[in-house]
Amino acid sequence: MADVSPKIFKKYDIRGKAEGADAVVTPVVARLVGLAFGTVLRRAGQGQRVVVGYDNRRSSEGLAQALMDGLAASGCAVVNVGLVSTPTVYWYEASEGFNGGVIVTGSHLTPEQNGFKIRALGQNVYGDAIVELREMIVKDDVETASGGSIERREGARQPYIDDLAGRIRMGRALKVVVDAGNGTGGLFGPELLRRWGHTVECLYCEPDGNYPNHQPDPQDAKNMQALGERVRAIGADVGIAFDGDADRMGAVDEQGNMIVADRILALLARDLLKRHAGAAVVADVLSSQVLFDEVTAHGGEAVMWISGHSLIKAKMAEIGALLGGEMSGHIFLGEDYYGYDDGYLAAGRLLQLLAGGDEPLSALNASIPTLYSTPEYRPHCPDEAKQTVIDGVKAALADKGEVVDVDGVRIKFERGWGLLRASNTEPVLSLRFEGETEADALGYRDLFVGALAQFPMVEKIGTGGG
């Protein structure tokens, strides 16, 4: 039986510590993952062409080579596109008809972490399919086959950049600051924005797997401070930031103020609905009610769905939605594109919207109603108790408002809403509240806290859990 930690097999990907004596994502594990995934493709009987890329973390190239060795041993024809961003691998998979794609990336995590995002037959591999890969490895239920190969695709970045550059036309040139956080965004973002006609200044665009300036996570406000300061200092129109593998993006307005992800999505939804009346827009349960109301007010179909990039993409594919997103900054683009999360194209759509008029981004943001939102509270709760707690809170509060239970329990009250859901990756619960006023939001929080009091295994909010 292979010695593979079960903890690295998350709901949406495979990841864990990749450096040091206690590393759990190792070249040995990477080869086994490749062998298992190749076996899955072989048994599916639809072909075994796989595209593989990797980010700029210290461990990524070595892990990618081991993964490709495993894929080739299973009989796969592997195309190595080298050092790229996650959406580049997705683009190759979609545009060239690969049967699968794997990107070796730790995304926004600390430098010693790493992992694999996997796609098969046009969809992310997640949930039970991730668990199945581990079970195949543990049970040695994998197959080797002859005929496998590894081909290095030189210059692989340029066709992707050329394609995206031709997809957007800008109404005017903007002055833009790009913060790549020393991730892969620096290899693509500045060139793309210049191809779209903008003047670009870079922050931390040199890839450095040590991430010496800040973690490449644009949804953490502290990571956006340098970008905001630079935008103000040079009088830029907007600042754009990418996470480490550039499947997520964030923005600051011309005043240097961060625009949260669901408000970016609301602006993009308004714009989309001008061209596609009645289009569906999917967003996760953590998103503001303002987003769903904006979609409805502009004639769209607002769909609230389970949090998680793989799940949002799957729902979009199911219903034919043209746009989707979640609070983490993943924005999924189905209009004249492939429906996956691409931070570069999302940034381009936002810049296109801004360049198409004469209002600054701060004014566009101000045109969206604002509710008071609490931070996300994350109290500890044992994994085995999560569902019991959620069911108990749902029962206790069911008569207080309109219940939505697609992911945990979200209750819409007269002047706001509250959410309780289980983290898919940690032994914690996730709670968030929104109201027309701060008092409303905190009142809804107190209702949930009261309902949680019957469960002593849940850490109290305010004592380290939020």
Side-chain angles (χ1 to χ4, degrees):
M1 183 178 77
D3 183 19
V4 179
S5 170
K7 294 183 179 179
I8 68 174
F9 292 82
K10 310 295 185 181
K11 184 154 188 174
Y12 312 119
D13 52 29
I14 300 169
R15 56 185 163 85
K17 191 173 182 185
E19 296 179 348
D22 57 345
V24 287
V25 176
T26 64
V28 171
V29 170
R31 187 180 188 280
L32 290 170
V33 169
L35 190 57
F37 182 46
T39 300
V40 168
L41 292 177
R42 170 172 289 278
R43 291 173 181 171
Q46 298 188 40
Q48 285 183 274
R49 294 182 65 242
V50 182
V51 57
V52 174
Y54 51 87
D55 73 9
N56 62 293
R57 287 169 184 265
R58 299 179 297 237
S59 59
S60 290
E61 187 171 4
L63 290 171
Q65 187 58 57
L67 175 92
M68 290 187 288
D69 289 344
L71 285 164
S74 76
C76 288
V78 180
V79 173
N80 173 13
V81 293
L83 176 59
V84 294
S85 297
T86 290
T88 317
V89 169
Y90 293 172
W91 180 85
Y92 269 102
E93 185 218 10
S95 65
E96 293 193 7
F98 282 91
N99 309 107
V102 185
I103 178 79
V104 180
T105 179
S107 185
H108 62 285
L109 301 174
T110 50
E112 75 282 358
Q113 304 286 317
N114 218 328
F116 314 97
K117 292 178 179 177
I118 305 173
R119 282 175 67 83
L121 307 175
Q123 293 289 326
N124 277 63
V125 174
Y126 67 94
D128 291 343
I130 290 280
V131 174
E132 180 187 0
L133 289 177
R134 178 180 181 270
E135 289 178 348
M136 291 172 64
I137 292 169
V138 169
K139 296 174 181 177
D140 198 25
D141 181 23
V142 295
E143 299 174 7
T144 58
S146 60
S149 62
I150 302 174
E151 169 201 341
R152 178 60 189 256
R153 182 77 62 91
E154 299 298 334
R157 298 173 200 157
Q158 207 58 47
Y160 166 74
I161 290 174
D162 291 344
D163 180 68
L164 262 64
R167 287 179 181 270
I168 296 180
R169 295 288 180 267
M170 300 289 173
R172 61 187 172 99
L174 302 171
K175 183 185 288 189
V176 186
V177 181
V178 170
D179 184 343
N182 298 113
T184 61
L187 301 172
F188 296 85
E191 180 178 348
L192 264 170
L193 268 62
R194 291 185 180 114
R195 292 275 296 272
W196 285 326
H198 304 303
T199 300
V200 179
E201 178 171 319
C202 280
L203 282 179
Y204 318 135
C205 286
E206 183 66 29
D208 185 337
N210 296 304
Y211 307 115
N213 296 290
H214 61 72
Q215 282 303 114
D217 183 358
Q219 295 311 309
D220 187 333
K222 69 176 181 291
N223 297 329
M224 301 291 276
Q225 289 175 357
L227 178 61
E229 290 169 3
R230 191 60 188 161
V231 165
R232 287 193 298 271
I234 70 168
D237 295 293
V238 62
I240 299 291
F242 301 105
D243 74 333
D245 63 332
D247 58 1
R248 296 189 294 133
M249 57 81 67
V252 300
D253 66 19
E254 80 286 355
Q255 299 171 6
N257 297 318
M258 178 178 170
I259 312 295
V260 294
D262 54 359
R263 296 179 76 82
I264 292 175
L265 187 60
L267 291 173
L268 295 181
R270 281 181 179 178
D271 185 54
L272 170 78
L273 291 166
K274 293 175 184 176
R275 297 183 296 277
H276 300 276
V281 178
V282 181
D284 71 338
V285 296
L286 285 163
S287 299
S288 171
Q289 186 62 41
V290 168
L291 166 62
F292 300 104
D293 291 346
E294 282 290 297
V295 171
T296 301
H298 287 79
E301 178 189 356
V303 179
M304 187 182 297
W305 199 239
I306 305 167
S307 189
H309 65 91
S310 299
L311 300 169
I312 298 288
K313 275 180 277 200
K315 187 63 175 178
M316 286 179 63
E318 175 192 335
I319 66 174
L322 295 180
L323 181 65
E326 56 178 359
M327 279 298 295
S328 62
H330 289 278
I331 294 177
F332 314 96
L333 301 137
E335 181 190 18
D336 301 323
Y337 205 55
Y338 302 109
Y340 59 74
D341 34 346
D342 187 321
Y344 303 121
L345 190 59
R349 292 295 186 201
L350 180 64
L351 295 175
Q352 183 181 41
L353 173 61
L354 188 58
D358 54 10
E359 287 188 289
L361 184 54
S362 62
L364 293 175
N365 183 47
S367 71
I368 301 171
T370 300
L371 301 179
Y372 177 85
S373 298
T374 70
E376 184 183 9
Y377 300 97
R378 294 173 60 82
H380 183 272
C381 176
D383 285 330
E384 63 274 12
K386 287 176 179 176
Q387 194 57 51
T388 298
V389 172
I390 290 170
D391 290 343
V393 170
K394 177 182 174 182
L397 300 180
D399 62 345
K400 303 295 185 183
E402 178 186 338
V403 175
V404 178
D405 57 5
V406 298
D407 185 8
V409 55
R410 175 166 165 154
I411 300 180
K412 185 178 180 182
F413 302 105
E414 183 180 356
R415 293 170 58 84
W417 57 271
L419 171 71
L420 169 67
R421 61 180 293 272
S423 168
N424 292 310
T425 57
E426 300 174 75
V428 299
L429 298 170
S430 171
L431 297 98
R432 187 170 179 239
F433 306 93
E434 188 174 67
E436 293 182 14
T437 67
E438 180 178 4
D440 291 328
L442 297 182
Y444 300 141
R445 179 197 65 182
D446 292 345
L447 277 177
F448 275 72
V449 169
L452 285 169
Q454 63 183 302
F455 300 104
M457 75 287 288
V458 179
E459 180 184 21
K460 288 183 173 58
I461 292 175
T463 61

